[in-house]
Amino acid sequence: LGGTLRAGAALRMMDAAACLSAERHCGSSAVTLSIDSTRFLSTASPGQLLQLRAILTRAFNTSMEVRVAVHAEDFTTGRRTLLAVGFFVFVSLAEGGGKRPVPRAIALTPSEMDNATLAAERRALRLRQQEELRRVEGDAALDAAAEASEGSRHGMSDTEVVLTELVLPPHANHHSTLFGGQVCMWTEKAALLSARRHALAAQEGEGEAAAVFVMTAAVDTLAFRGP
């Protein structure tokens, strides 16, 4: 968008870096379980160098949380900018495809101890969110209530976007299943189109329409349910 790095592309790279960190720790294959608390603080332009740093924050029983930070460096000025920070959760896979326990990660420094404590808090929040999602999922009454909300000029259904993507060999990971980062990229694309559709609809009836630019600011939770 406007010659800058798309958030979906950044998510794809972040997921790959996080996967390598998780697999280095567990010594086996790992797949993305969820993405949490990801914030996009800036963006990058063509010609800039991106640096991704992924590090394990905590290992649980079969899952691991990895923090990924993305920086961009401008070659002409030497300036480095923090673009995004996110937390990726992976599960370790046994040869048969089921989950397997992961080694314990020992926090040695005060910073590592703080990160491990925060990781446990995020995990507890994820579990509560999953319970809430299961409770409301498929509840058509919520959609009806949103459509009839007082003061609403445009229904929620007007913002619906359906993307159809063909899974090709470059979209697969080293497990020969769809790469989690690719799912992130497609999901962000659909969300961006939906948000832009709403922003454009909000301009109706206000005279000459101005250009509408929508950018992803955050990804709070993105959960994977299967390959």
Side-chain angles (χ1 to χ4, degrees):
L1 179 63
T4 58
L5 179 68
R6 282 275 306 275
L11 283 170
R12 192 179 195 278
M13 292 185 284
M14 292 169 75
D15 180 73
C19 183
L20 292 174
S21 177
E23 291 187 338
R24 173 179 285 180
H25 173 72
C26 68
S28 65
S29 297
V31 293
T32 312
L33 179 64
S34 67
I35 300 172
D36 290 326
S37 306
T38 300
R39 299 291 180 267
F40 297 94
L41 310 174
S42 184
T43 188
S45 302
Q48 290 185 320
L49 175 68
L50 289 185
Q51 181 187 70
L52 293 87
R53 184 173 184 267
I55 187 169
L56 193 83
T57 56
R58 184 157 183 161
F60 298 98
N61 183 24
T62 59
S63 66
M64 303 154 282
E65 185 192 81
V66 179
R67 179 185 185 271
V68 184
V70 186
H71 287 83
E73 180 179 336
D74 190 319
F75 285 116
T76 59
T77 63
R79 180 185 177 187
R80 295 180 76 250
T81 304
L82 179 62
L83 300 189
V85 178
F87 298 89
F88 293 68
V89 180
F90 289 82
V91 291
S92 177
L93 295 180
E95 289 187 6
K99 298 179 182 179
R100 56 170 285 181
V102 299
R104 180 185 176 193
I106 302 174
L108 300 176
T109 68
S111 176
E112 290 174 347
M113 294 176 186
D114 289 343
N115 287 336
T117 299
L118 292 173
E121 294 178 0
R122 281 188 293 269
R123 182 173 185 268
L125 179 59
R126 279 194 299 272
L127 294 175
R128 290 197 298 269
Q129 287 176 331
Q130 289 171 8
E131 287 296 325
E132 182 65 15
L133 285 173
R134 279 192 286 267
R135 188 182 68 82
V136 303
E137 203 169 49
D139 190 352
L142 292 178
D143 293 335
E147 294 280 357
S149 60
E150 208 174 300
S152 174
R153 294 173 53 197
H154 305 282
M156 296 295 183
S157 60
D158 295 334
T159 67
E160 183 180 14
V161 171
V162 178
L163 295 182
T164 302
E165 301 284 354
L166 177 64
V167 179
L168 299 173
H171 300 147
N173 56 24
H174 51 301
H175 311 299
S176 298
T177 59
L178 181 59
F179 177 40
Q182 186 63 53
V183 177
C184 295
M185 193 170 184
W186 286 337
T187 302
E188 188 271 343
K189 179 181 178 181
L192 195 69
L193 291 172
S194 177
R196 189 171 188 274
R197 177 172 289 181
H198 175 71
L200 286 169
Q203 288 191 340
E204 292 179 1
E206 297 181 4
E208 185 176 348
V212 175
F213 296 98
V214 180
M215 296 185 68
T216 304
V219 178
D220 283 329
T221 302
L222 177 59
F224 292 82
R225 298 191 176 182

